[in-house]
Amino acid sequence: MIAVVGHPDLTVPTLALLEEELSSRLADRARTGRAGLVRAGKGLPVVFGRAARTAGLALVTVLPTLSGVPAHVAEPDRKAAGELLLLSQMVRLVEYDPGDRASCISADEALARSCARVLAIWDGSPSNGRDATAHLVAYARSHGVDVEVLWPRGAEHRTVPSAEARGVCGLTGRS
């Protein structure tokens, strides 16, 4: 599997740039029979899901569970989760609390370990209290997972307000 991680605050023009770039990169991988893996969320996960569909790559969307029961998807991500489910060939239920950052990061680490490759949409900046991208890149590398960093010319991200970033993390493209 190929997981995608990235900054939670990618601009709309950057997301448009990425959709085209990801479609061409994923087309080569679609022939290998691998699948793409994203946690349900807006922004990068949806762009990755659309690119995977365009490239013919199977998509697996991860949804949270709490005590074995599907967890509530927060309003900002609900519509995106619906689109990803429509694009997906499989859904993977993973035990984590989407409202708890540490729980999200632990889930992301486990998912990254389960993949052959992590595709990181990352400008090389360090992790901070809201963006766990650098942490997930380092974590994947330290566990022998192949990491490919992609930061197209002209890509930008902005600072995410605390309320917007609360409770979300890496594999969704958010921190």
Side-chain angles (χ1 to χ4, degrees):
M1 280 217 208
I2 303 164
V4 66
V5 300
H7 293 293
D9 54 356
L10 298 170
T11 64
V12 172
T14 296
L15 291 170
L17 266 173
L18 286 169
E19 190 165 342
E20 186 176 322
E21 177 71 24
L22 288 170
S23 294
S24 67
R25 285 182 185 245
L26 295 176
D28 292 335
R29 297 192 176 91
R31 292 185 278 282
T32 67
R34 288 196 176 155
L37 176 71
V38 294
R39 269 202 308 114
K42 68 180 184 174
L44 180 58
V46 172
V47 166
F48 183 80
R50 291 174 185 161
R53 171 58 69 94
T54 299
L57 183 74
L59 182 67
V60 177
T61 297
V62 174
L63 290 176
T65 61
L66 296 172
S67 301
V69 176
H72 175 75
V73 177
E75 184 57 44
D77 294 320
R78 197 169 293 144
K79 184 176 179 183
E83 181 176 350
L84 284 166
L85 291 174
L86 291 172
L87 293 169
S88 294
Q89 283 70 32
M90 289 180 51
V91 174
R92 188 168 170 187
L93 300 175
V94 174
E95 187 77 21
Y96 70 95
D97 179 354
D100 180 286
R101 186 173 192 279
S103 179
C104 288
I105 291 174
S106 292
D108 287 344
E109 291 171 347
L111 291 168
R113 281 193 317 269
S114 74
C115 290
R117 175 177 286 249
V118 168
L119 182 55
I121 311 305
W122 180 47
D123 67 353
S125 60
S127 288
N128 59 36
R130 292 184 287 246
D131 187 339
T133 306
H135 167 78
L136 291 170
V137 167
Y139 184 86
R141 286 177 173 157
S142 73
H143 284 80
V145 177
D146 185 32
V147 175
E148 179 182 351
V149 175
L150 174 61
W151 191 252
R153 176 172 286 160
E156 297 179 323
H157 64 106
R158 59 179 173 75
T159 302
V160 175
S162 298
E164 185 181 334
R166 192 177 354 217
V168 292
C169 48
L171 280 173
T172 63
R174 306 173 81 196
S175 67

